[in-house]
Amino acid sequence: MWVCGALWGTRAPARFQPRLLAVWRRHGRAASYSASAEHPRVRALVYGNHGDPAKVVELKNLALAAMGGSDVRVRMLAAPINPSDINMIQGNYGLLPKLPAVGGNEGVGQVVAVGSSVTGLKPGDWVIPANAGLGTWRTEAMFSEEALIGVPSDIPLQSAATLGVNPCTAYRMLMDFEQLQSGDSVIQNASNSGVGQAVIQIAAALGLRTINVVRDRPDIQKLSDRLKDLGAEHVITEEELRKPETKNLFKDMPQPRLALNCVGGKSSTELLRHLAPGGTMVTYGGMAKQPIIASVSLLIFKDLKLRGFWLSQWKKDHSSDEFKKLILTLCDLIYQGQLTAPACSEVPLQDFQQALGASMEPFMSSKQILIM
């Protein structure tokens, strides 16, 4: 396993050139992968039933489908394990593919060959899924052109592999619910999650100040330092959030008008308590598996708003061109060094059990990325 930091998201400055070149060579380019070569063995992580990922996910050999005119043959390079992937395998997600299914909703691959009617992609291009449910935990696959979105191949591999879900969710929540201006503040829980880290960085790029809530842990100072390096202004624990002294944070910064909730339960209640009058709490996850309890007084006397966000629904409500525009906006932040991949651990595909186990451990701040 290679544990990687999230510190090299710019457009290949000189000090990063050798490292980027190593990634380039290690993961291959179209020149080293002939489209006319024999079809290789395709390996994939498949589940035939819903349940515990450690028990239902298997590494299997699959046949590569024949190429049609609108198809694109893709060699997967890397794919992360997200909470939504785990929930989908468990059977408790809002979108469930037909079984048996290949796991993975996100990742980056390289185009190997294209069908005769494909016009928007060519061999060598990097691509990510246009929607959830594509099944990215495999070495190679045949996808339709409309199921893919091209991304620049000169961004870091980890950034490309984790581009399509967490940063998109973070950006849309920051932009769509409150008309925030530079200097305004945002409060969020689960701040060390993939979305949380993206929120910190995108908020900083927009001139927003963030109050970041995390669960207490043995290495809390190390985590706090890492989040502040990303641009977090304040990092506090759930326990500290409940203390009366927390109000002192707002002596030199405005009360947040936007709260981002990925936990639920008592944590979400505390976020609401610190929102400015008329503010909005957006819920995009429920890690505590507990309901949100909002006091009547907060709703009546502070006129707080409770909203929800699901990226899959946002995509249904917007055109593919709008999603592509969002991706390019995030790529610009990557080029400018304002958005890096979350801290990650690269794990070979065959060691998927190790990666699945690590992704479900408490206090895990390193995203597991399967390398194909």
Side-chain angles (χ1 to χ4, degrees):
M1 180 190 298
W2 173 46
V3 179
C4 60
L7 301 176
W8 45 294
T10 56
R11 185 194 285 272
R15 65 185 184 282
F16 293 150
Q17 287 283 359
R19 197 168 180 183
L20 288 174
L21 183 59
V23 170
W24 182 293
R25 288 172 174 166
R26 192 168 101 212
H27 297 288
R29 288 305 211 211
S32 63
Y33 198 96
S34 171
S36 62
E38 286 187 21
H39 287 190
R41 180 179 65 171
V42 176
R43 295 182 298 162
L45 297 182
V46 180
Y47 58 101
N49 299 286
H50 295 301
D52 181 355
K55 297 179 180 178
V56 300
V57 176
E58 301 178 275
L59 182 59
K60 292 188 174 183
N61 294 329
L62 300 180
L64 190 67
M67 177 177 286
S70 61
D71 289 337
V72 178
R73 182 176 165 188
V74 176
R75 180 167 63 98
M76 293 304 300
L77 300 177
I81 299 177
N82 291 320
S84 59
D85 301 322
I86 299 298
N87 293 339
M88 190 175 283
I89 295 168
Q90 293 169 333
N92 53 14
Y93 193 64
L95 183 156
L96 298 176
K98 183 180 178 180
L99 300 181
V102 176
N105 292 299
E106 187 180 25
V108 61
Q110 182 183 45
V111 175
V112 174
V114 299
S116 57
S117 61
V118 174
T119 58
L121 296 169
K122 64 184 183 303
D125 286 350
W126 276 15
V127 289
I128 64 173
N131 292 294
L134 195 62
T136 55
W137 296 350
R138 59 176 116 195
T139 56
E140 193 166 346
M142 204 72 71
F143 299 124
S144 66
E145 181 180 15
E146 64 182 13
L148 303 168
I149 289 180
V151 297
S153 59
D154 59 351
I155 60 176
L157 183 75
Q158 291 81 11
S159 293
T162 58
L163 180 61
V165 177
N166 292 340
C168 293
T169 296
Y171 188 88
R172 293 267 55 102
M173 291 194 301
L174 287 170
M175 299 298 291
D176 294 351
F177 294 92
E178 288 285 340
Q179 300 301 309
L180 301 176
Q181 305 296 324
S182 180
D184 286 344
S185 67
V186 177
I187 188 169
Q188 66 166 341
N189 55 24
S191 304
N192 58 306
S193 67
V195 172
Q197 293 178 59
V199 164
I200 291 170
Q201 296 177 82
I202 296 171
L206 296 172
L208 304 175
R209 306 166 72 177
T210 56
I211 303 163
N212 302 279
V213 185
V214 297
R215 289 182 295 175
D216 197 6
R217 63 196 68 207
D219 62 344
I220 185 64
Q221 189 58 52
K222 180 180 178 182
L223 174 61
S224 177
D225 291 343
R226 183 160 63 82
L227 296 182
K228 288 182 178 179
D229 285 343
L230 294 178
E233 182 159 349
H234 297 288
V235 179
I236 61 176
T237 65
E238 297 276 5
E239 291 75 18
E240 290 171 331
L241 184 64
R242 300 187 185 102
K243 294 180 178 179
E245 306 89 86
T246 304
K247 64 183 180 182
N248 293 330
L249 289 177
F250 306 115
K251 289 183 177 180
D252 64 345
M253 68 188 302
Q255 269 191 293
R257 290 167 45 204
L258 179 66
L260 306 177
N261 168 46
C262 184
V263 179
K266 293 180 180 179
S267 178
S268 58
T269 302
E270 290 299 320
L271 292 187
L272 282 171
R273 194 164 64 86
H274 292 287
L275 267 180
T280 301
M281 183 174 78
V282 182
T283 293
Y284 66 98
M287 292 169 54
K289 298 181 179 178
Q290 296 173 352
I292 295 169
I293 300 176
S295 73
V296 172
S297 62
L298 287 177
L299 295 178
I300 294 176
F301 301 123
K302 293 183 70 175
D303 190 26
L304 301 182
K305 299 180 286 291
L306 303 180
R307 300 290 303 276
F309 182 82
W310 185 30
L311 183 63
S312 294
Q313 185 61 50
W314 184 90
K315 291 180 183 179
K316 291 178 183 178
D317 296 339
H318 296 79
S319 68
S320 59
D321 285 342
E322 288 176 287
F323 183 53
K324 291 176 184 177
K325 181 179 178 182
L326 171 57
I327 292 296
L328 292 177
T329 297
L330 295 171
C331 286
D332 284 342
L333 292 177
I334 293 171
Y335 287 139
Q336 295 163 22
Q338 295 176 310
L339 178 63
T340 61
C344 63
S345 299
E346 291 189 355
V347 183
L349 181 65
Q350 62 267 25
D351 295 334
F352 70 95
Q353 288 284 11
Q354 169 190 329
L356 286 172
S359 68
M360 292 187 286
E361 290 178 2
F363 308 119
M364 175 56 67
S365 296
S366 180
K367 185 176 289 292
Q368 305 296 299
I369 296 185
L370 298 168
I371 298 299
M372 310 307 170

